[in-house]
Every structure is written in structure tokens, then in C-alpha cells.
Amino acid sequence: MLKDTVRTLSYRNAIMKNRHLFKDKIVLDVGCGTGILSMFAARAGAKHVIAVDMSNIIEMAQQIVDINGFSDKITLLRGKLEDVEMPYDKVDIIISEWMGYFLLYESMLDTVLVARDRYLKPGGLIFPDKANIQVALIEDGSYKDEKIFYWEDVYGFDYSPFIPLVMTQPLIETVENKTVVTNHFKLIEFDLNTVTIDELAFHKPFKLTATRDDLAHALVAWFDIEFPYDQPQNKVVFSTGPHVNYTHWQQTIFYLDQVLDLKKGETIEGSLASRPNEHNNRELDIELEWDFRASGDHDSRQQRGKFNYFLR
Amino acid sequence: MLKDTVRTLSYRNAIMKNRHLFKDKIVLDVGCGTGILSMFAARAGAKHVIAVDMSNIIEMAQQIVDINGFSDKITLLRGKLEDVEMPYDKVDIIISEWMGYFLLYESMLDTVLVARDRYLKPGGLIFPDKANIQVALIEDGSYKDEKIFYWEDVYGFDYSPFIPLVMTQPLIETVENKTVVTNHFKLIEFDLNTVTIDELAFHKPFKLTATRDDLAHALVAWFDIEFPYDQPQNKVVFSTGPHVNYTHWQQTIFYLDQVLDLKKGETIEGSLASRPNEHNNRELDIELEWDFRASGDHDSRQQRGKFNYFLR
């Protein structure tokens, strides 16, 4: 987390700009890692921070908390949030960096929601409290060739059985913004104050409009994050999209098994369904459907498709 | 393996240039993965190839072998080499791509040696059959700052407890050849025809000579590989050093807890010990010692040191 400066500085700004919200409050840090968010909260004036993590990183966190003089402000607890003995019945604020690739892959959001339901006071705050998933289409012909058609001739052998396997695995990569050929569409927004674990499985429609004449080979998805604030100037947001600075989350690319030949202004409707895999609920099964009809009166271009992906 | 062309083309060259050695022979492929080496051997004229792998990749390998027309030449067996039922008592040739980072980290060499002792005919061949580890010193001040001193101020907090941890973890990275400030020294060579599993734990001296006036911050290690041949023009070798093309193995960097101030021609003696970790024998415990005495008559520069590393 530390070396992703977009991520860490966003948390720091969200906490420090809103330090009046942290003043004298009880804070719970879910999945604290090295304790950086807990120390931001302590520095912002929190009365006490409870920091929980399952990993042995917490031993290192304890050393760091100690040498930075927060031993009496931050209590580190090793274990599952569901199991640790909390020194408070309720907390004022939950902080957590829980986001995974495609927002939800291997994410800790389930645990944050458990923490919310069990420990957050009515009216308490969650940092961050809003997350949305956005999509667009990209032109990615040369890369698709490299990734997919590579397998047709591997040192003179036919490796094409790999192609369906590769196609079903969304890529986590950095997309150049110039490859985006449609507008951005907000597929779904989660309000962490109210969302339930069941709602993290979703099936949502999208409608995209081509911003130029070009081919489209893939759908790209990313997420945006918002933190709570009481005054507009203290609002902190960050995006993991192709139009902004790199984050370690990069973007998630779903190759279509068709090439769409788009003219500027034409629309592509479709839907994306995502649900936890039934055998491993940190993995995701994703189904993408699309329906593209060319707009010209005598234009017969129409392409519909459907493809299943697995984030493993 | 496939996309590392230095690696795969070296195997292909070693097999195809020596196809007369493979003609009508029984070949065992240890850890076959997608079956690429088995198909090279089949194409080189092997009578039959037995390919063993523990992973479910072998199901994909079976499809690839089938569509490439090698179903009757290559038999794929899933399981541990120690457990699978081999259709032959003895084989003529063993092929395997077993090398890990720093040659031995998470390597399959143990399994190759078991295969040799159990299945290789007297006088049989192992592709590859020679591997050596080489070392040199590098000037790496700016990168060391970035990797090590980064932890002294992380968003305004003291994270220095991470420094000893980071120091003990050798880095797997690509070293620029221009940073090498000494000659190369061959620390140890393994002859796969005779080496024993016990000999993979070693303690070897080295002596390095500065090739220019510069500072040295780290020892870099890499390995070279040789394949069997019967005529010199069919010899195939490849190196994973900083002086040649990139491979996925990159190089392994051990930061010293000192900076050595070298003048051209001065020597650094030392030793490197490597042994499998007693709790996990695929991990390595490595101890590095060095002794540098400046050569000038009235020069009091002398630096000795010792540091322990863990490849985890």
C-alpha cells in the first residue's frame, strides 16, 4: 500500500483534511497492515485507534507504532475481526483499505461490512464510504494479438487450447487513455453506509457511446473511491481509471470474442454481472453481454455477444 | 517458460542441434509444464517421451500434445516423479527446466537428481547438465537509497524497523551491466551427472577485482547453463547475467550493510554459503562474508563484513 502514493496520499488527505471529524473519536482500522492509516488517524487527533489484522505484519506494525510514539493511542490486535476481543462496544469511525482488483476481487469489503454492522455507532463514519465501478470500451488490437493469437504458433507448435483459457481471464494491466473509444459509464455505486454483503453480487446494464470511429476489442473496468466529508472543500476522491495517474490496481480488461466496428455516436448496450465464485468467495465469476447495432439506415452491422470470465 | 525466449530457444537449440543424440531414444521430461520440451524432443526424433508434472497444467499439455500429433510419441503422467508409474525401467535422456531464482531457489533440481538416480541409464544424458553461479559487485547507491532509506520517512512516519527486514531479502531485479564494478567470479559449478542433493548446500570463497574506481553497494549473483553435446559446434550455453539479454530469472542482489570504496585493481575476498532452510527446503538461507583491504601502502581503508539473507 505504502508505495502506491495515489492510494496512500488520498487516505492521508481524507483523514487530515477532516481532522475535526476524527478529534477525540474512537476509530477502528480494519486490515491495518503496517498501521499507516491508524497513525494518520492518531495524528488527526483520534482518542484511540483499534487496529486489526490477521497477518503477522502486525508485529512489525507494533514496532512502528511504538517508535513513532503512538503506543498509548493505537491498540493493535492480531486475528480475524470476527474473533478479536474489542476493547469498545462501539466505535465512531471505521477506516479501511479493503479494495481489490476490479474493486471486489480478493477484497476485504465483507469484513468491513461485518465491522460496520457489529461496531459502528449510529451515524458513525466509514473512510472511504463510496465506491463505484466504471466501464468503457477500448481499441486494443495489437495487444489482443499479442495476448491471444500468440498461442496459435508457439515455437512452431499449435497452443490454441490456451486461447479459451486466456480469454476467460480478465487482464490486470494499465490501459493507455488514448485507447478508450467510448464515454465512461458508471455501472454500479456502493454506499458503504448501507450496502449489504448480498448486494456485492450484481447484474447491471450499461450503455456506451463511441467517441470516434474505431474498432473496439475489449471492455475496460476500474473503480472510483470517495471519502466522507462535512464541507465540500474537504471532499477527497480518487479514481483508478485510465484517464488518471497509475495505481497498483491498474485496470481490468475483458476481451470480447468479437471486434466491434464503431462509428462516432453509435451506442453499445449491454450488461455486466459479477458474483463471488461458489467455491471461493474471494474469486469472482463475471458475465458480460453486449448488443451493438450500427446507426446507419442501410447499415447491417449488428453484433451481439456474451462471454463468461473468471477472476481467479 | 514459453515467453522467455532466451530460455526456450536455448532448450530448442540444444535439442535440435543435437538431434542425433535424441534419435530413437527414450526421454524423460521432469516437470513438463505445457509439454514444450517434450515436443522438441519428439520433433528431434525421440522414440518415446515420458513427461511428468504434478500440476493440472498437464491436462492442457495433453490437449496440446494431441493437436500437434504427438499422442503416440509423448506420454503425459500427472503426479510426483517419485510416485508415478513409469513405463520404462530406464531412460536414455532426461530433459528438465528446473532452475529457480539464484539457480536454486524453489528449484526442481532435487527432483531431477532423483530421476537421474532412479531412471537414467549409465552414460545417459541430462539436458542441461552444467550450471554455475557467478558473482560480481555493483555500484547501486541510488537504488539502495530508494529501497532501503525509503523506510526512514514514510509519509512522515519512521518505518525504519523495515530496514533490517528489507536488507535480509535479496532482490530479484535486472541489474544494468554498467553498474558492475568488478570482474565476474564463478562461485560454484554443478555437474548434474554427478552432483548429489547434499552438495546443493555449499560454502564457497570468491575473489573479485575492481575494474574501475567506484563504490560498491551490493553483490549480484546469476547463473549460467550448459547443455550436453558431442561436437563443439553443437554446444549450447546461456547466461542469466547482467551482461546479456533479459531472462525472467533476472539477477539476485544482496545489499551489503557497508559501502566499499574501491580503486581499480583492488581485490575483495569473501565467501558465500547457501543452504536450504530447515523448515522449508525450497527456501534458502544465505550467508555472505567479505574482506576488503585497500592496496595503497598508507591506505587504512579496510572493511570486513558479514550478513545473512533469506530467499523466501
Side-chain angles (χ1 to χ4, degrees):
Chain A
M1 161 158 194
L2 297 170
K3 291 191 177 180
D4 184 334
T5 53
V6 168
R7 167 166 72 168
T8 309
L9 290 177
S10 295
Y11 275 88
R12 186 176 75 172
N13 288 343
I15 293 170
M16 298 313 281
K17 278 187 169 187
N18 292 286
R19 54 172 70 211
H20 50 288
L21 298 177
F22 282 82
K23 183 91 175 78
D24 297 328
K25 294 292 167 47
I26 306 297
V27 177
L28 171 60
D29 181 353
V30 177
C32 66
T34 67
I36 189 87
L37 300 188
S38 293
M39 292 193 292
F40 289 149
R43 189 183 275 173
K47 184 174 169 189
H48 200 165
V49 184
I50 310 300
V52 180
D53 206 296
M54 287 175 61
S55 152
N56 63 7
I57 187 76
I58 207 151
E59 293 163 24
M60 192 60 79
Q62 186 68 61
Q63 288 185 51
I64 291 166
V65 162
D66 291 346
I67 62 170
N68 284 282
F70 293 115
S71 308
D72 57 347
K73 284 280 176 196
I74 300 174
T75 299
L76 293 144
L77 301 174
R78 182 170 180 184
K80 288 186 67 166
L81 180 104
E82 291 83 349
D83 303 335
V84 295
E85 230 178 279
M86 284 281 289
Y88 299 96
D89 285 345
K90 294 288 173 187
V91 303
D92 300 295
I93 298 179
I94 291 173
I95 54 179
S96 182
E97 197 285 88
W98 52 267
M99 298 84 80
Y101 297 126
F102 186 67
L103 188 64
L104 299 174
Y105 174 61
E106 295 195 335
S107 100
M108 286 195 307
L109 182 51
D110 290 22
T111 305
V112 174
L113 300 186
V114 168
R116 176 198 67 189
D117 294 342
R118 196 173 294 184
Y119 296 117
L120 191 64
K121 280 182 191 166
L125 300 175
I126 308 176
F127 280 73
D129 65 344
K130 301 270 193 329
N132 67 60
I133 297 175
Q134 311 244 357
V135 296
L137 292 174
I138 56 171
E139 189 290 312
D140 203 27
S142 60
Y143 201 63
K144 190 176 179 182
D145 283 354
E146 191 187 304
K147 284 281 169 188
I148 308 294
F149 298 116
Y150 167 83
W151 300 103
E152 293 187 350
D153 181 354
V154 177
Y155 303 96
F157 300 112
D158 179 356
Y159 265 63
S160 57
F162 268 98
I163 294 177
L165 188 70
V166 170
M167 282 289 295
T168 60
Q169 295 174 336
L171 286 180
I172 310 296
E173 297 264 5
T174 300
V175 167
E176 280 191 88
N177 195 42
K178 68 182 182 193
T179 68
V180 175
V181 298
T182 66
N183 63 321
H184 300 173
F185 187 90
K186 189 191 291 189
L187 191 69
I188 188 165
E189 180 160 57
F190 298 110
D191 181 339
L192 270 66
N193 297 295
T194 54
V195 70
T196 63
I197 288 175
D198 287 347
E199 288 166 349
L200 304 182
F202 63 86
H203 184 185
K204 290 286 180 181
F206 60 79
K207 183 173 179 177
L208 293 163
T209 304
T211 49
R212 63 174 187 250
D213 297 358
D214 211 333
L215 303 176
H217 302 89
L219 181 110
V220 57
W222 68 91
F223 61 87
D224 295 352
I225 293 293
E226 285 185 30
F227 294 87
Y229 58 97
D230 55 356
Q231 296 176 71
Q233 69 269 26
N234 298 333
K235 181 174 177 177
V236 173
V237 303
F238 74 94
S239 173
T240 65
H243 54 298
V244 288
N245 286 340
Y246 172 89
T247 72
H248 82 287
W249 287 289
Q250 303 181 82
Q251 290 87 44
T252 307
I253 305 166
F254 302 85
Y255 283 108
L256 312 182
D257 60 353
Q258 298 177 343
V259 179
L260 307 183
D261 181 9
L262 308 179
K263 303 294 174 208
K264 183 173 175 175
E266 290 180 341
T267 59
I268 308 92
E269 299 195 38
S271 69
L272 190 151
S274 170
R275 53 181 58 82
N277 180 266
E278 60 177 312
H279 303 297
N280 180 344
N281 72 355
R282 282 161 65 84
E283 299 182 344
L284 297 177
D285 295 343
I286 294 165
E287 184 182 87
L288 181 63
E289 287 190 84
W290 60 93
D291 183 358
F292 163 57
R293 289 158 212 243
S295 58
D297 278 350
H298 305 291
D299 199 325
S300 61
R301 287 174 296 132
Q302 176 180 359
Q303 289 172 279
R304 300 178 64 163
K306 184 169 159 174
F307 210 84
N308 290 294
Y309 306 86
F310 311 99
L311 263 170
R312 295 277 180 276
Chain B
M1 161 158 192
L2 297 170
K3 292 191 176 180
D4 185 334
T5 53
V6 169
R7 166 166 73 166
T8 309
L9 290 177
S10 296
Y11 276 87
R12 186 176 76 173
N13 287 344
I15 293 171
M16 299 313 283
K17 278 187 170 186
N18 293 287
R19 54 171 70 211
H20 51 286
L21 299 177
F22 281 82
K23 183 93 175 78
D24 298 327
K25 293 291 165 50
I26 305 298
V27 177
L28 171 60
D29 181 353
V30 177
C32 65
T34 68
I36 189 88
L37 300 187
S38 293
M39 292 194 291
F40 289 149
R43 189 184 273 172
K47 184 175 169 189
H48 199 166
V49 184
I50 309 302
V52 181
D53 206 295
M54 287 175 60
S55 151
N56 64 5
I57 188 76
I58 207 149
E59 293 162 23
M60 191 60 79
Q62 187 67 61
Q63 288 185 53
I64 290 166
V65 162
D66 292 346
I67 62 170
N68 285 283
F70 294 115
S71 309
D72 57 346
K73 284 279 176 199
I74 300 174
T75 298
L76 293 145
L77 301 174
R78 182 171 180 183
K80 288 186 67 167
L81 180 105
E82 291 82 350
D83 302 335
V84 296
E85 231 178 277
M86 283 283 289
Y88 299 96
D89 284 346
K90 294 288 172 187
V91 302
D92 299 296
I93 298 178
I94 290 172
I95 55 178
S96 182
E97 196 286 88
W98 53 266
M99 297 84 80
Y101 297 125
F102 186 68
L103 188 65
L104 298 174
Y105 175 59
E106 295 195 336
S107 103
M108 287 195 305
L109 182 51
D110 289 22
T111 306
V112 173
L113 300 185
V114 169
R116 177 197 68 190
D117 293 342
R118 196 173 296 183
Y119 295 117
L120 192 64
K121 280 182 190 165
L125 300 174
I126 307 175
F127 279 74
D129 65 345
K130 301 270 194 330
N132 67 59
I133 297 175
Q134 310 244 358
V135 295
L137 292 174
I138 56 172
E139 187 291 311
D140 203 27
S142 60
Y143 201 63
K144 190 176 180 183
D145 282 353
E146 192 186 303
K147 285 281 169 187
I148 307 294
F149 298 115
Y150 168 83
W151 300 104
E152 293 188 350
D153 180 353
V154 177
Y155 304 96
F157 300 112
D158 179 356
Y159 265 63
S160 56
F162 269 97
I163 293 177
L165 189 69
V166 169
M167 283 289 295
T168 60
Q169 296 172 335
L171 285 180
I172 310 296
E173 297 265 2
T174 300
V175 167
E176 282 191 88
N177 195 43
K178 67 181 182 193
T179 67
V180 175
V181 298
T182 66
N183 63 320
H184 300 174
F185 186 91
K186 189 190 291 188
L187 191 69
I188 188 165
E189 181 160 54
F190 298 111
D191 181 340
L192 271 65
N193 298 293
T194 54
V195 70
T196 63
I197 289 175
D198 287 348
E199 288 167 347
L200 304 182
F202 63 86
H203 184 185
K204 291 285 180 183
F206 61 79
K207 182 173 179 177
L208 293 163
T209 303
T211 49
R212 64 173 186 250
D213 297 358
D214 211 334
L215 302 176
H217 301 88
L219 182 110
V220 57
W222 66 91
F223 60 89
D224 294 353
I225 292 294
E226 285 186 31
F227 294 87
Y229 58 95
D230 55 357
Q231 296 175 71
Q233 70 270 28
N234 297 333
K235 180 174 177 177
V236 173
V237 302
F238 74 94
S239 173
T240 65
H243 55 298
V244 288
N245 285 340
Y246 173 89
T247 72
H248 82 286
W249 286 290
Q250 303 181 80
Q251 290 88 42
T252 307
I253 305 166
F254 302 84
Y255 283 109
L256 312 183
D257 60 352
Q258 296 178 343
V259 178
L260 307 183
D261 182 8
L262 308 180
K263 303 296 174 207
K264 184 174 177 176
E266 290 180 341
T267 59
I268 308 92
E269 299 195 38
S271 69
L272 189 150
S274 169
R275 54 181 57 83
N277 180 266
E278 62 177 311
H279 302 296
N280 180 344
N281 71 355
R282 283 161 64 84
E283 299 181 345
L284 297 177
D285 295 343
I286 294 165
E287 184 182 88
L288 180 63
E289 287 189 83
W290 61 92
D291 184 357
F292 164 58
R293 287 158 212 245
S295 58
D297 277 350
H298 305 292
D299 200 325
S300 60
R301 285 174 298 133
Q302 174 179 359
Q303 289 172 281
R304 300 177 66 162
K306 182 168 159 175
F307 210 83
N308 289 294
Y309 306 86
F310 311 99
L311 263 169
R312 294 278 180 276

